[in-house]
Amino acid sequence: MTLEGLMDQLFGSGTTKRWNADYFPFTSPSFELEIYHNDEWMEVLGCGVIHEGVLNLSGRGDRRGWAFGLGLERLAMILFSIPDIRLFWTEDERFHSQFQSGEIVKFKSYSKYPPVFKDIAFWTASAGRDEETSRWKNSNEFVENDFFDLVRSTAGDLVERIELIDAFTHPKTGRSSRCYRISYRSMDRSLTNEEIDHLQFKIRDECEGALGCELR
């Protein structure tokens, strides 16, 4: 069964899918598979050709291999209509009592604390013109997953959602601008603007230092 066939088996043959180039440390080239669900794209697995260095270290340098890994939590979110991945780590019986072994049921939401929304906008890396196509290109391509990892490593489990709300390319300079909305929410208490502002400023500093972005 192919990986696309697995998605068809789980979610139906009409499931819309797309492949994106990605980066994983042990495979090259690497790819991610996304499916279109609830009006948005969701990553469900990563895969790639096993890096030669990994095979050499394992004494299998004469072989070639293909590796893939499923995002089991994200698959469960779709099958059980669970809106927040952090619920898998909760000890709240209102969550655990809804599920029984061998049964697929729709999750019934219970009361949660209100979210706090913060936006961040920045220019990605500087651009120059491609001599062959005369089109603008970034000197260091912006990788969205790197930004997502940066946000979650800085703010941890308080980050509920990160969504791109605006993007454009300047017609004269070729620079790309992106604006993201970060939704913060705690599972067990109300958050204050002060504590989220502190995290947001840390994320802004990291975007400039680690990703080379210019804040707007």
Side-chain angles (χ1 to χ4, degrees):
M1 179 182 293
T2 66
L3 296 179
E4 289 192 4
L6 175 61
M7 295 302 106
D8 289 338
Q9 185 70 24
L10 289 172
F11 305 111
S13 58
T15 302
T16 302
K17 301 171 285 291
R18 72 179 181 187
W19 290 95
N20 299 316
D22 206 337
Y23 168 78
F24 302 111
F26 305 115
T27 57
S28 180
S30 303
F31 307 92
E32 67 174 13
L33 177 61
E34 297 181 324
I35 65 172
Y36 196 69
H37 177 74
N38 286 345
D39 298 324
E40 65 179 2
W41 288 101
M42 177 179 290
E43 179 185 354
V44 290
L45 63 85
C47 62
V49 178
I50 299 176
H51 200 285
E52 290 184 3
V54 175
L55 294 172
N56 290 334
L57 289 173
S58 63
R60 294 291 187 270
D62 58 330
R63 305 288 183 88
R64 293 295 178 265
W66 175 263
F68 72 93
L70 298 170
L72 295 180
E73 295 93 345
R74 296 190 181 278
L75 296 179
M77 288 174 69
I78 299 173
L79 292 173
F80 295 92
S81 299
I82 298 171
D84 190 339
I85 196 171
R86 297 173 302 168
L87 286 167
F88 289 106
W89 308 315
T90 184
E91 297 181 359
D92 196 319
E93 277 301 310
R94 292 177 295 177
F95 178 76
H96 293 285
S97 63
Q98 296 189 36
F99 307 103
Q100 302 295 326
S101 177
E103 298 181 10
I104 296 179
V105 297
K106 186 174 181 179
F107 170 69
K108 297 179 180 179
S109 183
Y110 51 84
S111 177
K112 294 195 294 187
Y113 293 89
V116 177
F117 301 105
K118 298 291 181 181
D119 295 349
I120 180 171
F122 50 80
W123 296 103
T124 59
S126 59
R129 283 194 183 275
D130 188 297
E131 294 182 358
E132 295 183 359
T133 64
S134 296
R135 295 180 178 179
W136 289 104
K137 64 177 182 178
N138 285 336
S139 58
N140 294 301
E141 185 177 356
F142 175 77
V143 179
E144 189 173 59
N145 281 344
D146 290 346
F147 173 70
F148 291 166
D149 289 343
L150 182 150
V151 172
R152 296 191 183 280
S153 64
T154 302
D157 292 344
L158 293 182
V159 177
E160 180 180 61
R161 181 181 175 86
I162 309 168
E163 57 182 327
L164 179 68
I165 61 174
D166 184 64
F168 73 92
T169 299
H170 195 286
K172 293 184 178 180
T173 66
R175 302 181 71 193
S176 296
S177 171
R178 289 173 173 257
C179 181
Y180 290 89
R181 176 158 295 158
I182 305 174
S183 303
Y184 298 89
R185 193 199 304 258
S186 172
M187 302 299 294
D188 54 19
R189 62 185 177 87
S190 293
L191 300 173
T192 65
N193 269 315
E194 289 76 11
E195 65 177 314
I196 298 306
D197 282 343
H198 176 71
L199 290 173
Q200 189 75 0
F201 280 118
K202 289 180 65 177
I203 291 171
R204 289 171 62 87
D205 290 341
E206 287 294 326
C207 277
E208 287 187 308
L211 301 182
C213 298
E214 180 183 338
L215 298 173
R216 297 182 59 204

